[in-house]
Structures are given as structure tokens and as C-alpha cells.
Amino acid sequence: MTIKKISKYIILYGIAIAMILPFLWMISTSFKSANEIFTIPIKWIPSSFNFNNFSKAISSFPFVRFFMNSVTVTIFIIIGQLVTSVMAAYAFARMEFKGKNLLFVILLAGLMLPAQTIMIPMILILKELHLLNTLPGIIVPFTWSALIVFLLRQFFMKIPKEIEEAAMIDGCSTFRIVTSIVLPISKPILSTSFILIFIYAWNQYFWPLLIVNKEELYTLQLGLAYFKEVNAIETDWGALMAGTTLTLLPVIIVFVIFQKKVIESIAFSGGKE
């Protein structure tokens, strides 16, 4: 192994450790007693594992209700984005229609537009539709994604056209081709898209904060902020970190389940046509 490769690995491992340390501190803190949390030097392994922090996190605010709100929002955003993105991506990849290239350029331009610039117009539209202070108000504006359309379109273009042409000769409709041929082949990129959408939808904070002011409609991210506000006089950091760990757990589980498909997606995209 050359010095160049060794240096590269050292830098990469250094960056990885720097990124993972805050998460390790969070998980470690969720098991610590109050007097161990801010000890210097940092005590990474607690003297005794304190599971009371988790029971406090769940009982101190409506954790289950906020969790179910997050699950509902995330599921509908995932379904909406996958359905609309698959249809749009297939149209851009395989169909010919007037203004296709222009529309695709406009779509890509949307990727460069900060979400904050369109939030006021979206709020005004939702107000007219009477969707403020509702879960649909959190969901509907995010049932499409330019990034996911772009990723799927690039993947669809790598699928050999001969497969679809053979299906057309056999009398398959476009819908049947997409559902029975294109989507099964596209499982790796669909899994990657699923992870990206899940992380984005699950971790939303700013948009629900703008749309919702009823406690019963809070998502888990707002719930953690609510927990800290309730304990503003003296923040229970152990319970807060326990709640944050529980919030992060679904993201880790989803990634572990789908990581193999993500690697397959990268390998396919990097292969020769």
C-alpha cells in the first residue's frame, strides 16, 4: 500500500470519526445519570446504564402521539413522491413530447431554488385551501421531488430499450411496462430514493413549525423542541438525548435494511451501458 493510499484512508477515517462522535455522545448521554453528563474528560461509557431517561422521555410529553403523526406524514410523503417521481421520470426518460427538454431544465433549476423562497407562497395557497393546522398541510407540498425525478430518470435511461420494445410487441400497455418491467429492475434506485425521502420527511422541522400550532398535530421533531420548552428551567439532558435517540432509531433501521440496495444502485449507475 502506497503512502498516498495510507494518507487517503487516514483522512477518510478522521472525517468519519469526527462525524460519528456527536452521535456516540448522544447515545452515551441517553444512558447516563445527571451528574455524569458534563464530566470532564467525557465519560463515554456510563458507570451504570440508566434506562429511566427513556421512560422520562416517553412520559414527559405525548411521545406516542407525536411519533404516530411523524409516521403518518412520512408514509404519505414517501408514497406521494415515489408515485409522482416514477411517472415524471419515465416520461422524461422514454416518452417524446413537445417542450420535454425545456421542462427538464426547469425541473433541474428547481433543485437550485432554496425551499425557503417558496414557503410564503405555499402558506398562502394552503390558507386558501383551508389546510393550515392540518397534517395534509404538512404533507401535500412535499408529495413531489425534483431530485428523486432526476435520480429515477437517469436510472431509467440505462435500462435497455429492447426490453420495453419486446413488451410492446407482446401488447403490453405503458402502465404494464412500468409496473411489471421497469420498477422490478429499478429496485436499487427505488430503495435509494426511499431512504432519501424517508430521512427528509422524518426529519422535517421548519415546515411543520410554520404550519402547525396545535399540540395534537406536532411531529416528533416539534415534540422534542416542546419537551425542551416544558423543561426550560432546567433541561433534563439525559431524557432529551434519550428522546433524540429514539427519534433517530427509525432512520438507522431503514438505512440498515436498504443499504445493500443502495450499493447495488451505485454499482449499476457506474457500470457500462
Side-chain angles (χ1 to χ4, degrees), residues 157-175:
M157 289 182 72
K158 287 183 174 290
I159 298 174
K161 288 185 179 180
E162 291 79 9
I163 299 175
E164 297 169 54
E165 289 169 356
M168 288 180 186
I169 292 172
D170 289 338
C172 285
S173 63
T174 303
F175 179 79

Side-chain angles (χ1 to χ4, degrees), residues 8-251:
K8 187 191 297 183
Y9 281 123
I10 291 172
I11 293 169
L12 290 174
Y13 278 119
I15 293 171
I17 291 169
M19 292 181 70
I20 204 172
L21 277 177
F23 294 100
L24 293 177
W25 184 86
M26 176 190 72
I27 295 169
S28 172
T29 302
S30 67
F31 290 101
K32 289 178 182 177
S33 58
N35 58 355
E36 281 188 321
I37 292 175
F38 295 108
T39 56
I40 301 296
I42 295 174
K43 198 169 185 178
W44 292 99
I45 301 175
S47 302
S48 60
F49 286 85
N50 182 15
F51 290 93
N52 290 333
N53 289 331
F54 290 90
S55 58
K56 282 182 190 176
I58 293 172
S59 60
S60 296
F61 67 102
F63 183 90
V64 176
R65 183 194 299 169
F66 296 165
F67 180 85
M68 292 310 300
N69 287 342
S70 287
V71 169
T72 302
V73 168
T74 302
I75 287 174
F76 279 101
I77 289 179
I78 289 171
I79 293 171
Q81 286 200 22
L82 286 179
V83 170
T84 56
S85 297
V86 165
M87 292 191 293
Y90 187 79
F92 282 122
R94 288 290 189 258
M95 297 181 179
E96 294 299 329
F97 53 90
K98 191 175 181 179
K100 183 177 85 169
N101 292 332
L102 177 61
L103 284 174
F104 190 66
V105 170
I106 293 172
L107 179 79
L108 293 180
L111 289 172
M112 306 172 196
L113 197 65
Q116 290 79 3
T117 60
I118 59 173
M119 282 188 173
I120 292 177
M122 284 199 298
I123 290 172
L124 294 175
I125 292 170
L126 290 177
K127 183 180 178 183
E128 294 299 317
L129 295 173
H130 304 289
L131 290 178
L132 293 179
N133 262 324
T134 64
L135 289 181
I138 301 175
I139 297 166
V140 171
F142 297 96
T143 50
W144 71 280
S145 169
L147 174 62
I148 303 302
V149 172
F150 174 74
L151 291 176
L152 291 175
R153 183 249 188 190
Q154 298 306 106
F155 194 93
F156 290 167
M157 289 182 72
K158 287 183 174 290
I159 298 174
K161 288 185 179 180
E162 291 79 9
I163 299 175
E164 297 169 54
E165 289 169 356
M168 288 180 186
I169 292 172
D170 289 338
C172 285
S173 63
T174 303
F175 179 79
R176 183 72 183 276
I177 290 171
V178 172
T179 55
S180 300
I181 297 173
V182 175
L183 292 184
I185 294 173
S186 305
K187 283 181 182 178
I189 193 63
L190 289 173
S191 298
T192 303
S193 301
F194 178 87
I195 290 175
L196 292 174
I197 300 168
F198 179 87
I199 292 172
Y200 176 78
W202 185 262
N203 289 329
Q204 276 202 93
Y205 174 76
F206 188 59
W207 179 248
L209 183 65
L210 292 177
I211 295 299
V212 169
N213 58 27
K214 293 180 181 176
E215 184 185 317
E216 62 268 22
L217 297 176
Y218 282 4
T219 59
L220 205 48
Q221 313 304 328
L222 290 180
L224 289 174
Y226 171 81
F227 172 80
K228 188 176 179 183
E229 191 176 302
V230 168
N231 297 275
I233 297 175
E234 186 177 354
T235 302
D236 189 339
W237 290 102
L240 182 61
M241 292 300 105
T244 307
T245 301
L246 291 174
T247 303
L248 184 65
L249 201 57
V251 177

